[in-house]
Amino acid sequence: MNREEIYKIIERFETSDLSSLSIKDRDFSIEMVRGSKQSVTISQKSETAEPQEPVMKATPVHSVSKLTQVKAPLVGTYYAAPNPESSPFVEIGQQVVKGQTLCIIESMKMLNELKSPVSGKIAGIYGNNGELAEFDQLLFEVEEC
């Protein structure tokens, strides 16, 4: 697991209602607890039989970066591109400017452009093209820069 994936996990934990999170793999583990003095512990097993030592510690969780959540302002069908033949408006990792179109939500045969409230980098896309987006559903996360 690379550093960027770890940051994404930390950011998602921060915006969730979870009080703790533990992820363990055969050679990787991450534990996060809200409100503790050491809120994030990440460790990786080494090739040798030495005891595990934390690779990275972060306190507090919210110091990683500032994420702006972009949620659906109404119920409607989510479209990632202006038409089926076009490429999506945005992709993960893409830089966007405030006011740039992120997607279209069709409701009652009206096409509504959802625009970025901030300038930054797309950190997450949670809408599925052609599927229903519920009111206040998280569609994007933009990492402000």
Side-chain angles (χ1 to χ4, degrees), residues 56-135:
M56 180 172 77
K57 292 183 182 178
T59 305
V61 173
H62 55 78
S63 67
V64 176
S65 66
K66 183 164 177 11
L67 282 182
T68 299
Q69 294 185 336
V70 182
K71 297 182 178 184
L74 67 160
V75 176
T77 305
Y78 170 92
Y79 292 110
N83 60 57
E85 294 80 33
S86 297
S87 58
F89 288 107
V90 294
E91 295 177 355
I92 292 179
Q94 180 180 336
Q95 291 290 106
V96 295
V97 295
K98 183 177 180 177
Q100 181 175 340
T101 301
L102 301 175
C103 71
I104 292 175
I105 298 179
E106 179 186 11
S107 180
M108 298 175 54
K109 300 198 183 209
M110 296 284 296
L111 300 177
N112 303 281
E113 290 184 353
L114 183 59
K115 300 188 182 280
S116 178
V118 296
S119 294
K121 181 173 76 172
I122 300 294
I125 299 175
Y126 306 102
N128 292 316
N129 194 43
E131 292 186 8
L132 184 67
E134 297 290 335
F135 172 74

Side-chain angles (χ1 to χ4, degrees), residues 13-68:
F13 174 76
E14 178 183 70
T15 59
S16 75
D17 294 328
L18 296 174
S19 59
S20 66
L21 175 69
S22 177
I23 299 172
K24 293 182 182 180
D25 196 359
R26 58 189 156 134
D27 59 348
F28 176 81
S29 71
I30 182 170
E31 293 180 47
M32 294 181 272
V33 179
R34 228 180 263 290
S36 71
K37 292 187 189 239
Q38 183 177 348
S39 55
V40 178
T41 303
I42 301 170
S43 61
Q44 239 177 340
K45 290 183 183 174
S46 63
E47 298 290 324
T48 63
E50 296 175 10
Q52 289 184 358
E53 291 195 24
V55 174
M56 180 172 77
K57 292 183 182 178
T59 305
V61 173
H62 55 78
S63 67
V64 176
S65 66
K66 183 164 177 11
L67 282 182
T68 299

